[in-house]
Amino acid sequence: MGRVMGFWFAGVPVLVVLALAAGMGGAGLGAYLVVSKDLPAIPDLRGYRPKTVSTFYALDGTVMAEFYRERRYPLPYEAIPAHVRNAFVAVEDARFFTHPGVDLPGVIRALVKCIKAGDYVAGGSTITQQLTRNLLLTQKKTMGRKIREALLSYRLEQNLSKEQILNIYLNEIYLGTGAYGVEGAARTYFDKSCRDLTISEAALIAGLTASPTKFAPGRNLEGAIHRRDIVLAAMLKNGFISEQQHEAAVRQALHFKEEPGKPAIRAPYFTETVRQYIVDHYGESVLYDEGLQVWTTCDLSMQDRAEATLKEGVMDWEKRQRRPAGLVKRLTKREAKEFLGTKAKEDLKAGDRVQAVVLANEVPKDGRNTKKKHKAPTVQNCTCAMPGDVRFEMQFTHSNLYRPNDLLEFRVADVRDGKLILEHQPTPPVQGAVVSIENRTGYVRALVGGLDFDRSPFNRATQALRQPGSSFKPFVYAAALEWRHYGPNTVVVDEPIMVLVNRNREEWVPSNADGRFMGPLTLRQALALSRNTATVKLLMDVGPDAAIRMARNAGISARLGKHLSLSLGVSEVTPLELTAAYTVFANMGTRVQPVMVRKVKDRFGRILEDNTVEPLEITPESIAQAAQERVEAATAAVDAQPQDQDEQEETDLESAPEDMPEQQTADSPATRGRDSVLEMLHSGLGKPVRRVAPPTRVMSPQTAYLMADMLREVCVSGTAAAAGKLKRNDLAGKTGTTDDCSDAWFVGFDRELTTGAWIGYDTKTSLGRNEHGSTAALPVWMRFVKGTTPRGTGQLPIPQGIVFGEPNQTQWGGGFPQQSRQERQGPDLAPEFQTMQVCRIDESDASVGGYDGYGPPMVANAPAYPGASPQGFPQPGGFFQPGPYGEPSEYYPQQVRVLSEDGQTIGYAPYQVDDRGRMSVARDQIAPVTPDDDAYSAGDPNAHGLQDPRYGNQGLPGQRGLSYGPGSFRFPGLPGFGQFR
């Protein structure tokens, strides 16, 4: 009985305890097995690669922009100051360096607080647990997550050291306003590196961990300061700082960044172009997550200068047009009423743009300027209204007065107590672009694609296709010099012409911008004065194929129409590619590819892409071989005669260099696909890619030198003669103006830089009367050049085969008194090149009468006319000088020469000029030069016995006849299309 009683009173309780222990152990084991069954594997965090910031650098190493999804700048443990590390440890996990991943006293203390509060008010998580939650788990507050968190934290402590865990934590944690990690927070809030943080600043950042959004200084400064004091007290309590340090830190005044979280972007148009380049070749995920370092070619001083000169040029346009500053549009009464009747915008915030219409304008008696000579600003008190007829008063101080119904643009500067604080935006409605390229490397030093990136991010320098007008002409002239035996002194006649094109013989009547015609001109003069009809004739002889080939070789990739109006620049190009094409002239015939990205590195400094270019050597020695090759080719061609001229020309054109495709390697991310780019970055096995084609000779040094000299004449005595104000003799370039002055261009260069400027509306709208390239774009270029290269850069070396002299005196008997000194001493090709003396289109025309061996002699007893020489021959500039739009002179009746599209004379007809200088011709008044027009229609090359109604019956040399075979083309906008300058 004793043993039985002993069993019940002693054994049973033991068994119960053992059973309970076994049950609890089994339950615990089961719970562990259940919870740990789908625990994520602990990753190898020793190769921790957080998302980080990609940085773009300018030429001098200045940060231009940063791109990221999480603004994080990973730092090694040693680079984070001890007081920064201690601030986080003190407030988040004081026993971090002693516990195994879970702090049991901390957990118990947090549990007691939660029971007392009846809610979840404290978690007791260690730094290790927070890191585990951020990397491997969710933020969901459940008991299951806390158990999993504790288990994973213990495992993590077995794989990493305390220093490694703390380093990852300090780089990973989110600290508000888009900042991740201590370095990101330091730059975001204090605009400094983590290395430079004071104890007080470090404590404020550490205090944000409790609630980064709630305590962000920009949102709740008082709360942020309170949290800082809590951290400082914890640092003092745990012995991380002394009493003196604590007192000094509490008293320290904090100076925050003015706009936290918003990194400045320098050169936004340049930067955006580079960003698109990186995305195209590496993908968005790499750009925004992988911490690329991109070294650009941007010279920030030049970039700032380009932005400033463009704005100044557009504001000058506004003053010339007598427009009030920032006028968007002048509305009609009906349009203004409709504008006010639209629904008002809601939820406007700072930075938004709004438009308003002027209702009334009052000028105070003491505010009006009465000086007419120097028009000073006038004070204007305007009543304006936004959509919904929301009215407000605004005072302006501008020279020109606003009118009722004028539409203006404003920016919301602030919103206070529901009221909008508006700032007037005086940006003109027109746009522009400036591109500057270093000739010998192709490095793009400056690129501006508009007046205001925030207002319009569309990049007009790289994305806008615009008609270049006469700024395309140099490629027609270069093709003539390179492949068709022309020289700078070859004569072409500037006269009124009408061209019959395609099978239907539709008429096209090109004209000059001034409505005048100057008669016989040298190519140098025709280019300098930008004579359209002379250039059309040149393209007739050269052929569109040759001009297109020359443009392609120079680097223009845009679509170019194969028609005669190509000579006047009707095919659209971008400012960047046109500017880059002009570098061929400055580089003595060598093309370099424009470069905006010099080098790309990954986060570890490994080079992914290297486009560094060695500057092109342009010395007499470097071009001697290329020049000698063309001299030898010219001499060999003479020795091989007789050879059919047409056949020789075809051979010359066929020998022209082909386009050089962009170089890509098999290791290029663009060729392998973006999926493998990340793998390449992680492995570090990729080889550097080079995307820049090597320099390619596309033009002989002789042609390039002559073209550079002819374009210099443009800046001396031509349409850009205003450039003489810069007092430099090394500048060259070409103006360009499209039909109705809708595009204004100037592209110019010296030995160092080639710079292009474009001004125009985004839509094809006239800039106003007389807003030519020389008026609107040239001043922008001049300001830029004056501010970047104020001193001359020297002359180009003279290649072999170039001679200087005064050849025109013997040809025309008496010289040209109207020519400039530069023209008479200008360079020409040496005699062995056997250049043409007269354009073939004019060889058999009486317009160049008196020239040795070409055309009929002048009519006997011809009356005197302006510009006549002692021999009675026309001088350059002697045609149609009187009158604004080509009134007839005594010498040259008001007749237009009718040509076929290949340059053959069909007949003559009278023409009329309207008030805009456009010529028109009546088809039924054309007097044919042959009694049998069918012979020409059939393309009879032996047709002869032609008559010129201006000079009486006179047989002219045989013509090649007309041909309207397959492949004929049409011109848009006929008739009168192409009034370009």
Side-chain angles (χ1 to χ4, degrees):
M1 178 60 75
R3 285 195 295 268
V4 171
M5 295 297 295
F7 172 78
W8 282 105
F9 288 100
V12 170
V14 171
L15 292 177
V16 170
V17 170
L18 291 175
L20 289 174
M24 294 177 63
L29 178 62
Y32 171 79
L33 292 176
V34 170
V35 172
S36 64
K37 180 180 180 181
D38 56 349
L39 279 177
I42 298 294
D44 186 3
L45 296 180
R46 289 171 294 185
Y48 171 64
R49 296 175 58 94
K51 295 178 180 178
T52 184
V53 177
S54 291
T55 308
F56 290 4
Y57 298 96
L59 191 66
D60 61 356
T62 301
V63 175
M64 294 175 60
E66 297 175 338
F67 296 94
Y68 52 84
R69 289 192 179 94
E70 298 178 359
R71 194 180 187 200
R72 180 187 288 108
Y73 306 86
L75 293 177
Y77 184 81
E78 298 78 13
I80 302 176
H83 64 274
V84 176
R85 302 194 300 261
N86 292 337
F88 282 86
V89 170
V91 73
E92 291 297 316
D93 189 0
R95 286 184 289 275
F96 169 72
F97 288 98
T98 59
H99 63 65
V102 178
D103 185 12
L104 290 179
V107 172
I108 294 173
R109 184 170 58 252
L111 181 61
V112 171
K113 289 182 179 180
C114 292
I115 293 173
K116 288 182 178 180
D119 195 3
Y120 190 90
V121 296
S125 295
T126 64
I127 286 178
T128 308
Q129 287 177 283
Q130 293 181 47
L131 179 62
T132 302
R133 180 170 64 245
N134 291 339
L135 294 180
L136 304 175
L137 301 174
T138 68
Q139 301 294 322
K140 193 173 181 180
K141 296 180 180 181
T142 64
M143 186 59 68
R145 193 218 70 193
K146 293 294 294 183
I147 296 174
R148 291 155 60 86
E149 181 183 289
L151 293 174
L152 288 172
S153 298
Y154 179 78
R155 292 183 184 180
L156 189 63
E157 292 267 359
Q158 310 306 309
N159 289 272
L160 299 177
S161 66
K162 290 287 187 178
E163 289 76 12
Q164 289 173 322
I165 292 173
L166 182 58
N167 180 239
I168 296 174
Y169 173 80
L170 294 177
N171 281 310
E172 182 69 24
I173 187 172
Y174 177 65
L175 294 169
T177 322
Y180 289 79
V182 291
E183 179 70 9
R187 297 191 188 190
T188 297
Y189 297 116
F190 298 106
D191 198 22
K192 61 172 65 174
S193 172
C194 168
R195 300 175 179 87
D196 302 322
L197 289 176
T198 65
I199 293 176
S200 180
E201 292 168 342
L204 184 136
I205 291 176
L208 298 176
T209 55
S211 180
T213 302
K214 178 181 179 181
F215 296 118
R219 179 187 296 268
N220 183 5
L221 180 59
E222 184 178 350
I225 297 298
H226 176 68
R227 285 291 302 169
R228 180 204 65 175
D229 294 342
I230 292 176
V231 175
L232 290 174
M235 293 178 72
L236 176 63
K237 177 182 178 182
N238 289 280
F240 292 133
I241 57 176
S242 65
E243 286 281 356
Q244 293 79 8
Q245 289 175 315
H246 175 266
E247 292 178 3
V250 170
R251 290 195 305 266
Q252 180 185 347
L254 299 174
H255 301 284
F256 297 97
K257 186 178 179 181
E258 291 185 3
E259 294 187 53
K262 186 178 181 181
I265 295 181
R266 297 289 302 273
Y269 285 105
F270 196 112
T271 299
E272 175 59 17
T273 304
V274 174
R275 189 197 70 83
Q276 292 176 0
Y277 173 93
I278 295 298
V279 169
D280 289 343
H281 291 91
Y282 295 91
E284 286 193 3
S285 61
V286 174
L287 172 64
Y288 288 98
D289 297 338
E290 292 300 320
L292 297 181
Q293 301 173 59
V294 181
W295 300 86
T296 75
T297 62
C298 181
D299 185 320
L300 288 177
S301 63
M302 289 189 182
Q303 180 72 23
D304 293 342
R305 185 67 183 171
E307 293 175 358
T309 55
L310 179 60
K311 291 180 180 178
E312 291 171 7
V314 171
M315 294 178 71
D316 287 347
W317 164 85
E318 194 172 46
K319 293 176 182 178
R320 286 193 303 270
Q321 295 299 312
R322 298 182 179 179
R323 294 170 58 96
L327 173 65
V328 176
K329 185 180 180 182
R330 287 212 148 106
L331 304 179
T332 64
K333 290 184 179 180
R334 180 179 178 181
E335 289 174 333
K337 185 177 180 180
E338 292 176 352
F339 174 83
L340 295 175
T342 57
K343 186 179 180 181
K345 293 184 178 180
E346 298 179 355
D347 299 327
L348 289 173
K349 58 184 182 300
D352 289 346
R353 294 176 185 268
V354 296
Q355 291 185 334
V357 66
V358 176
L359 299 180
N361 185 7
E362 179 183 352
V363 179
K365 292 182 179 180
D366 58 348
R368 181 180 293 276
N369 169 59
T370 58
K371 297 179 181 180
K372 295 183 179 180
K373 186 175 181 180
H374 301 288
K375 197 170 185 181
T378 297
V379 177
Q380 308 173 52
N381 295 323
C382 293
T383 301
C384 304
M386 296 188 297
D389 203 13
V390 179
R391 303 192 178 195
F392 61 94
E393 302 293 328
M394 181 71 69
Q395 186 176 85
F396 303 98
T397 306
H398 299 307
S399 300
N400 296 300
L401 297 179
Y402 296 105
R403 304 175 188 173
N405 302 326
D406 279 356
L407 186 65
L408 309 180
E409 186 173 83
F410 298 85
R411 177 181 175 273
V412 179
D414 198 2
V415 181
R416 300 174 186 171
D417 300 326
K419 295 183 179 181
L420 301 179
I421 308 299
L422 300 178
E423 292 180 351
H424 179 224
Q425 300 295 291
T427 306
V430 299
Q431 286 290 346
V434 175
V435 178
S436 188
I437 301 175
E438 188 175 77
N439 295 326
R440 294 186 299 162
T441 60
Y443 288 167
V444 179
R445 295 305 193 194
L447 185 143
V448 183
L451 298 180
D452 187 341
F453 185 84
D454 291 335
R455 181 183 183 188
S456 174
F458 179 72
N459 193 331
R460 293 150 191 89
T462 60
Q463 296 174 297
L465 288 168
R466 307 293 300 207
Q467 292 178 330
S470 293
S471 56
F472 185 82
K473 288 179 180 177
F475 304 106
V476 179
Y477 282 74
L481 266 62
E482 182 80 354
W483 298 317
R484 292 303 196 221
H485 309 291
Y486 279 79
N489 291 311
T490 301
V491 175
V492 61
V493 179
D494 178 27
E495 62 175 332
I497 62 173
M498 181 178 78
V499 185
L500 298 182
V501 297
N502 65 46
R503 291 182 179 274
N504 297 324
R505 295 193 178 187
E506 298 181 49
E507 62 267 20
W508 176 46
V509 186
S511 61
N512 295 311
D514 58 3
R516 300 177 180 180
F517 304 91
M518 296 183 173
L521 299 171
T522 63
L523 255 63
R524 184 190 306 278
Q525 293 171 317
L527 181 60
L529 300 174
S530 200
R531 309 314 290 172
N532 289 339
T533 57
T535 309
V536 172
K537 288 182 179 181
L538 194 62
L539 187 63
M540 284 179 174
D541 187 30
V542 171
D545 286 332
I548 292 173
R549 173 63 66 86
M550 180 58 69
R552 290 280 183 260
N553 289 343
I556 294 178
S557 60
R559 182 178 180 181
L560 301 176
K562 191 181 293 186
H563 44 65
L564 294 181
S565 58
L566 174 70
S567 62
L568 306 184
V570 300
S571 294
E572 298 172 330
V573 298
T574 65
L576 174 60
E577 65 177 346
L578 183 64
T579 303
Y582 268 65
T583 62
V584 172
F585 305 128
N587 286 335
M588 298 296 290
T590 299
R591 182 183 72 190
V592 293
Q593 182 178 332
V595 180
M596 298 184 69
V597 175
R598 288 188 298 128
K599 192 173 293 186
V600 180
K601 296 182 179 180
D602 66 9
R603 67 169 76 202
F604 303 111
R606 296 178 301 216
I607 299 176
L608 307 178
E609 180 174 336
D610 190 353
N611 298 318
T612 305
V613 176
E614 290 296 327
L616 192 65
E617 290 290 336
I618 303 178
T619 62
E621 294 76 18
S622 66
I623 65 174
Q625 181 177 358
Q628 178 63 26
E629 290 175 356
R630 194 184 181 207
V631 172
E632 293 174 355
T635 305
V638 173
D639 295 340
Q641 288 184 355
Q643 181 180 16
D644 182 76
Q645 186 70 32
D646 293 337
E647 181 181 345
Q648 176 63 40
E649 292 168 359
E650 292 298 328
T651 302
D652 291 342
L653 185 56
E654 289 173 2
S655 64
E658 295 289 344
D659 292 346
M660 177 64 70
E662 181 178 342
Q663 179 177 345
Q664 283 198 348
T665 67
D667 292 324
S668 168
T671 59
R672 292 199 317 270
R674 291 175 182 161
D675 292 342
S676 61
V677 175
L678 198 59
E679 180 182 352
M680 179 194 73
L681 294 176
H682 286 187
S683 66
L685 300 178
K687 297 179 181 179
V689 175
R690 184 173 181 81
R691 305 188 195 282
V692 179
T696 307
R697 176 159 296 284
V698 296
M699 184 188 301
S700 67
Q702 292 91 345
T703 296
Y705 181 85
L706 293 175
M707 285 303 305
D709 187 79
M710 292 165 67
L711 291 170
R712 186 169 68 89
E713 189 71 24
V714 176
C715 297
V716 173
S717 63
T719 56
K725 295 178 182 178
L726 297 175
K727 297 182 179 180
R728 290 177 53 176
N729 62 359
D730 62 330
L731 299 177
K734 185 70 185 73
T735 55
T737 309
T738 58
D739 195 23
D740 203 22
C741 296
S742 57
D743 295 271
W745 295 77
F746 187 81
V747 185
F749 57 88
D750 56 21
R751 287 197 66 174
E752 298 298 326
L753 294 174
T754 296
T755 303
W758 168 82
I759 301 290
Y761 283 93
D762 282 335
T763 58
K764 190 172 178 60
T765 304
S766 176
L767 289 168
R769 189 176 180 85
N770 296 323
E771 290 291 342
H772 303 294
S774 58
T775 308
L778 176 61
V780 175
W781 180 84
M782 290 173 61
R783 285 192 182 104
F784 179 82
V785 170
K786 185 177 181 180
T788 53
T789 54
R791 300 176 182 177
T793 55
Q795 301 294 329
L796 294 172
I798 304 172
Q800 183 180 357
I802 299 296
V803 295
F804 291 80
E806 302 178 73
N808 291 327
Q809 286 189 352
T810 58
Q811 294 175 350
W812 289 89
F816 296 156
Q818 297 186 31
Q819 288 178 294
S820 65
R821 181 173 180 271
Q822 288 79 5
E823 161 66 14
R824 288 187 290 109
Q825 296 181 354
D828 202 348
L829 289 166
E832 56 262 30
F833 287 93
Q834 292 195 350
T835 56
M836 290 191 297
Q837 295 178 329
V838 177
C839 172
R840 290 192 183 91
I841 309 303
D842 296 317
E843 281 182 349
S844 57
D845 185 69
S847 301
V848 289
Y851 194 84
D852 294 340
Y854 294 93
M858 286 294 295
V859 180
N861 302 318
Y865 58 90
S869 69
Q871 288 74 18
F873 302 139
Q875 294 291 332
F879 280 30
F880 290 176
Q881 288 304 308
Y885 291 119
E887 290 107 341
S889 68
E890 296 181 23
Y891 163 71
Y892 199 23
Q894 195 160 348
Q895 296 280 323
V896 62
R897 183 180 172 197
V898 183
L899 298 171
S900 66
E901 57 188 349
D902 63 351
Q904 305 307 309
T905 302
I906 296 175
Y908 296 88
Y911 68 90
Q912 296 178 339
V913 182
D914 62 20
D915 58 355
R916 298 180 64 187
R918 297 177 182 271
M919 297 192 310
S920 60
V921 180
R923 289 286 296 267
D924 57 0
Q925 297 182 15
I926 297 177
V929 295
T930 173
D932 184 10
D933 190 55
D934 293 335
Y936 268 80
S937 300
D940 183 1
N942 298 315
H944 60 281
L946 310 180
Q947 295 183 359
D948 187 334
R950 297 175 298 174
Y951 305 103
N953 296 337
Q954 173 64 52
L956 302 182
Q959 305 288 309
R960 281 181 275 179
L962 301 180
S963 175
Y964 297 98
S968 298
F969 42 84
R970 303 173 64 88
F971 292 81
L974 296 172
F977 175 67
Q979 185 173 323
F980 292 81
R981 179 169 184 173

